[in-house]
Amino acid sequence: MNDFSEKDILKMISLIYRKMQIYLDRQTADLGISSGTLPFIMITCEHGGINQNRFCEILDISKGTVAKSLAKLEEQGFVSRSESSEDGRCIIVQPTEKAMEIYPKLLEADTAWIKQMTKDMTEIERMVFVQTLKKVSKNISDYF
Protein backbone atom coordinates (compact mmCIF):
# COMPACT_ATOMS: atom_id res chain seq x y z
CA MET A 1 0.00 0.00 0.00
CA ASN A 2 1.31 3.47 -0.87
CA ASP A 3 2.11 5.74 2.05
CA PHE A 4 1.20 8.84 0.02
CA SER A 5 -1.74 10.02 -2.03
CA GLU A 6 -1.65 11.40 -5.55
CA LYS A 7 -2.08 14.94 -4.21
CA ASP A 8 1.25 14.50 -2.38
CA ILE A 9 3.05 14.21 -5.73
CA LEU A 10 2.70 17.95 -6.41
CA LYS A 11 3.92 18.74 -2.90
CA MET A 12 6.98 16.52 -3.40
CA ILE A 13 7.80 18.05 -6.78
CA SER A 14 7.47 21.53 -5.28
CA LEU A 15 9.69 20.58 -2.34
CA ILE A 16 12.39 19.14 -4.60
CA TYR A 17 12.39 22.23 -6.80
CA ARG A 18 12.47 24.72 -3.90
CA LYS A 19 15.20 22.87 -2.03
CA MET A 20 17.29 22.55 -5.20
CA GLN A 21 17.02 26.32 -5.78
CA ILE A 22 18.07 27.01 -2.17
CA TYR A 23 20.97 24.56 -2.41
CA LEU A 24 22.25 25.94 -5.72
CA ASP A 25 21.84 29.55 -4.56
CA ARG A 26 23.98 28.75 -1.51
CA GLN A 27 26.60 26.95 -3.58
CA THR A 28 26.91 29.81 -6.07
CA ALA A 29 26.38 32.86 -3.82
CA ASP A 30 30.11 33.66 -3.71
CA LEU A 31 30.24 33.51 -7.53
CA GLY A 32 27.68 36.26 -8.03
CA ILE A 33 25.17 34.07 -9.85
CA SER A 34 21.89 32.47 -8.91
CA SER A 35 20.25 29.12 -9.52
CA GLY A 36 18.23 30.80 -12.27
CA THR A 37 21.27 31.79 -14.32
CA LEU A 38 23.35 28.71 -13.54
CA PRO A 39 21.92 26.59 -16.41
CA PHE A 40 22.78 29.32 -18.93
CA ILE A 41 26.42 29.37 -17.86
CA MET A 42 26.66 25.58 -17.87
CA ILE A 43 25.10 25.24 -21.32
CA THR A 44 27.31 27.99 -22.72
CA CYS A 45 30.46 26.39 -21.30
CA GLU A 46 29.44 22.94 -22.54
CA HIS A 47 28.68 24.12 -26.09
CA GLY A 48 31.37 26.77 -26.58
CA GLY A 49 29.45 28.96 -28.98
CA ILE A 50 25.71 28.46 -29.12
CA ASN A 51 22.83 30.14 -30.91
CA GLN A 52 20.80 32.12 -28.37
CA ASN A 53 17.57 30.49 -29.56
CA ARG A 54 18.93 27.02 -28.67
CA PHE A 55 18.53 27.93 -24.99
CA CYS A 56 14.77 28.12 -25.61
CA GLU A 57 14.80 24.57 -26.94
CA ILE A 58 17.16 23.11 -24.35
CA LEU A 59 15.53 24.75 -21.32
CA ASP A 60 12.01 24.93 -22.77
CA ILE A 61 11.59 28.61 -21.89
CA SER A 62 10.60 31.75 -23.78
CA LYS A 63 12.87 33.91 -25.94
CA GLY A 64 12.22 36.85 -23.63
CA THR A 65 13.37 34.95 -20.54
CA VAL A 66 16.47 33.75 -22.40
CA ALA A 67 17.31 37.25 -23.61
CA LYS A 68 16.92 38.77 -20.11
CA SER A 69 19.02 36.08 -18.44
CA LEU A 70 21.78 36.29 -21.04
CA ALA A 71 21.80 40.10 -20.89
CA LYS A 72 22.34 39.87 -17.13
CA LEU A 73 25.13 37.33 -17.55
CA GLU A 74 26.74 39.45 -20.26
CA GLU A 75 26.62 42.48 -17.95
CA GLN A 76 28.28 40.39 -15.22
CA GLY A 77 30.99 39.24 -17.64
CA PHE A 78 30.06 35.56 -17.84
CA VAL A 79 29.06 35.47 -21.51
CA SER A 80 29.55 37.50 -24.65
CA ARG A 81 26.97 37.78 -27.41
CA SER A 82 27.52 38.69 -31.04
CA GLU A 83 25.77 38.44 -34.37
CA SER A 84 26.41 35.28 -36.32
CA SER A 85 28.73 35.81 -39.28
CA GLU A 86 26.53 33.43 -41.29
CA ASP A 87 23.15 34.92 -40.34
CA GLY A 88 22.92 38.42 -38.87
CA ARG A 89 19.56 37.58 -37.31
CA CYS A 90 21.16 34.95 -35.05
CA ILE A 91 22.97 35.78 -31.85
CA ILE A 92 25.86 33.54 -30.84
CA VAL A 93 26.59 33.22 -27.12
CA GLN A 94 30.14 32.43 -26.00
CA PRO A 95 31.43 31.71 -22.50
CA THR A 96 34.00 34.13 -21.17
CA GLU A 97 37.11 33.17 -19.24
CA LYS A 98 35.21 34.15 -16.08
CA ALA A 99 32.51 31.57 -16.89
CA MET A 100 35.05 28.87 -17.70
CA GLU A 101 36.78 29.50 -14.36
CA ILE A 102 33.61 28.83 -12.35
CA TYR A 103 32.33 25.98 -14.52
CA PRO A 104 34.09 23.24 -12.48
CA LYS A 105 32.45 24.54 -9.28
CA LEU A 106 29.05 24.48 -10.98
CA LEU A 107 29.62 20.88 -12.05
CA GLU A 108 30.59 19.97 -8.48
CA ALA A 109 27.43 21.58 -7.11
CA ASP A 110 25.27 19.72 -9.63
CA THR A 111 26.95 16.41 -8.89
CA ALA A 112 26.67 16.89 -5.13
CA TRP A 113 22.97 17.71 -5.39
CA ILE A 114 22.24 14.66 -7.54
CA LYS A 115 24.17 12.46 -5.10
CA GLN A 116 22.15 13.91 -2.21
CA MET A 117 18.85 13.33 -4.01
CA THR A 118 19.67 9.75 -4.90
CA LYS A 119 21.87 8.76 -1.95
CA ASP A 120 19.73 5.88 -0.70
CA MET A 121 18.86 4.55 -4.14
CA THR A 122 20.32 1.46 -5.74
CA GLU A 123 21.76 1.79 -9.23
CA ILE A 124 18.59 0.27 -10.65
CA GLU A 125 16.44 2.73 -8.69
CA ARG A 126 18.54 5.63 -10.02
CA MET A 127 18.10 4.39 -13.59
CA VAL A 128 14.33 4.02 -13.12
CA PHE A 129 14.21 7.47 -11.50
CA VAL A 130 15.97 9.09 -14.47
CA GLN A 131 13.80 7.24 -17.00
CA THR A 132 10.66 8.26 -15.09
CA LEU A 133 11.79 11.91 -14.99
CA LYS A 134 12.39 11.77 -18.75
CA LYS A 135 8.86 10.45 -19.32
CA VAL A 136 7.32 13.07 -17.04
CA SER A 137 9.31 15.85 -18.73
CA LYS A 138 8.26 14.65 -22.18
CA ASN A 139 4.62 14.38 -21.15
CA ILE A 140 4.65 17.91 -19.77
CA SER A 141 6.44 19.32 -22.84
CA ASP A 142 4.02 17.49 -25.15
CA TYR A 143 1.09 19.02 -23.26
CA PHE A 144 2.36 22.53 -23.92
Side-chain angles (χ1 to χ4, degrees), residues 68-81:
K68 286 177 192 172
S69 295
L70 290 174
K72 181 178 180 179
L73 289 172
E74 186 174 33
E75 185 179 295
Q76 293 175 302
F78 289 106
V79 300
S80 64
R81 296 185 295 169

Side-chain angles (χ1 to χ4, degrees), residues 7-76:
K7 66 181 179 182
D8 290 330
I9 293 172
L10 293 179
K11 291 176 188 173
M12 288 183 281
I13 291 169
S14 178
L15 172 88
I16 292 166
Y17 177 76
R18 285 191 333 265
K19 298 299 182 180
M20 180 184 71
Q21 298 300 101
I22 292 167
Y23 171 82
L24 292 173
D25 283 338
R26 286 180 182 168
Q27 296 300 310
T28 60
D30 63 325
L31 304 174
I33 62 170
S34 68
S35 56
T37 54
L38 183 144
F40 293 92
I41 295 174
M42 293 192 68
I43 291 167
T44 305
C45 289
E46 290 163 2
H47 289 87
I50 182 171
N51 183 322
Q52 181 169 306
N53 289 335
R54 278 286 289 139
F55 288 94
C56 301
E57 298 166 20
I58 294 169
L59 298 172
D60 198 13
I61 55 178
S62 72
K63 289 181 179 182
T65 300
V66 168
K68 286 177 192 172
S69 295
L70 290 174
K72 181 178 180 179
L73 289 172
E74 186 174 33
E75 185 179 295
Q76 293 175 302

Side-chain angles (χ1 to χ4, degrees), residues 20 24 26 28 41 45 49 53 58 66 79 101-104 108 111 113 120 122 125 138 140:
M20 180 184 71
L24 292 173
R26 286 180 182 168
T28 60
I41 295 174
C45 289
N53 289 335
I58 294 169
V66 168
V79 300
E101 286 174 7
I102 67 166
Y103 180 65
E108 286 176 27
T111 300
W113 179 249
D120 293 327
T122 65
E125 288 172 326
K138 183 183 180 319
I140 290 167

Side-chain angles (χ1 to χ4, degrees), residues 101-117:
E101 286 174 7
I102 67 166
Y103 180 65
K105 182 166 182 170
L106 302 181
L107 283 176
E108 286 176 27
D110 267 10
T111 300
W113 179 249
I114 292 166
K115 283 183 181 177
Q116 178 61 37
M117 273 197 314

